[in-house]
Amino acid sequence: METKVFEPSPEGLEEAGEIIRNGGLVAFPTETVYGLGADALSAEAVARIFEAKGRPRFDPVIVHVAAPEEAEALWAEVPPRARALMERFWPGPLTIVLPKRDVVPDIVTAGLPTVAIRMPDHEVALGLIRAAGRPIAAPSANRFGKTSPTHHEHVLEELGGQIEAVIAAGPTPVGIESTVISLVEEPPRVLRPGGTPLELLREVLGDLRADPPQVRYGPAPSPGTLKRHYMPRTPLYLLEMGLPEEGWEELPRERCGYLGFTSAKRGFRAGEVLSERGDLREAAARFFASLRRLDAMGFVAIVAEPVPEEGLGVAIMDRLKRAAQGVARLNEHSVWIKRR
Ligand code: TXA
Ligand code: MG
């Protein structure tokens, strides 16, 4: 199949909307990452998402709407705190999980009695939902378990030839996926940290659990919490303080790539810096593209420096920990690694 590339123009959105209505797949930008969209009310259309991504059927997808009322038509119950969250954070990178109505096909929710919904803060995404005239189910537009796409070129590299269309709108501004919160639990529980910081959610909700239960593989309350996820092909190691110890493996620095927070390190053949001024927003926006560039360079390892675990840094560290195969320490010339 030839993948059409649409401009984010009214005509492009109209054509893309028609593809969605006809059961096809369209990758589109949101403020977080590119999504792989299908008609959320068609089980067959959504089944194609799972095929294209190589995604296990137990992993539910997020439904995207263009207005809070459209979410309320898909949820069976809408408690006051859901309205408070929508009012404060929509449109924006917050996905809310509540009991579903029967109109939502089981394949969307992987058989769960709940559905995850968000209203993206991106004119192209909202335009596509309106043009399609129905909610759009969309996971991130990458192969299952791999690095999320923050540019339409990433989508074309991975899914070109397997989907009907991509809307080409350049880089996505937030760069990291939405925060997923379940209002089914008491107190509410963050299932995946993301673009809406926990600190802001606490302002609205007060009490909040943010310690997602972790499993290696298999049905999870939120499969984005799979321990191994967001994986580059190149093994990634999280930098820690200290010197190498007995049993650590030595790698020459010039065969490794370095993903730094505010600065590069000498001796590595290539380095990416997420934000020279230490701005976590800028770091999040650059994160997946930087990881992808390093991953394409054929290194034996990528060493990633931790970022502060506050604000968007919580979401960045969540992705880094899941992508990491172990830890790294540095001495003057070498990288030392320990697999976990
Ligand atoms: O920013 C985002 O959220 C992007 C853009 C495209 O909207 N989407 C995204 O989708 O990251 P995906 O499929 O890669 O991640 C969806 C997350 C997964 O962790 C999934 O397990 C969780 O949402 N999820 C979906 N439905 C759920 C449900 N009913 N209950 C609990 N978790 C759910
Ligand atoms: Mg994903």
Side-chain angles (χ1 to χ4, degrees), residues 18-33:
E18 194 181 326
I19 292 176
I20 297 275
R21 277 197 300 280
N22 290 331
L25 301 183
V26 177
F28 63 98
T30 76
E31 79 280 34
T32 60
V33 301

Side-chain angles (χ1 to χ4, degrees), residues 130-207:
R130 291 190 196 110
R134 62 203 64 198
I136 294 183
S140 50
N142 52 282
R143 300 274 308 163
F144 179 70
K146 301 294 180 189
T147 313
S148 301
T150 53
H151 195 284
H152 60 264
E153 293 292 352
H154 304 163
V155 179
L156 285 166
E157 280 161 25
E158 244 167 86
L159 297 173
Q162 295 178 67
I163 61 179
E164 276 77 8
V166 176
I167 303 178
T172 58
V174 174
I176 212 141
E177 298 91 336
S178 62
T179 301
V180 180
I181 187 166
S182 169
L183 296 185
V184 176
E185 292 185 51
E186 184 53 56
R189 177 178 212 132
V190 169
L191 301 174
R192 177 180 72 181
T196 300
L198 304 181
E199 294 89 334
L200 295 186
L201 290 173
R202 285 212 171 85
E203 284 176 15
V204 174
L205 295 171
D207 203 10

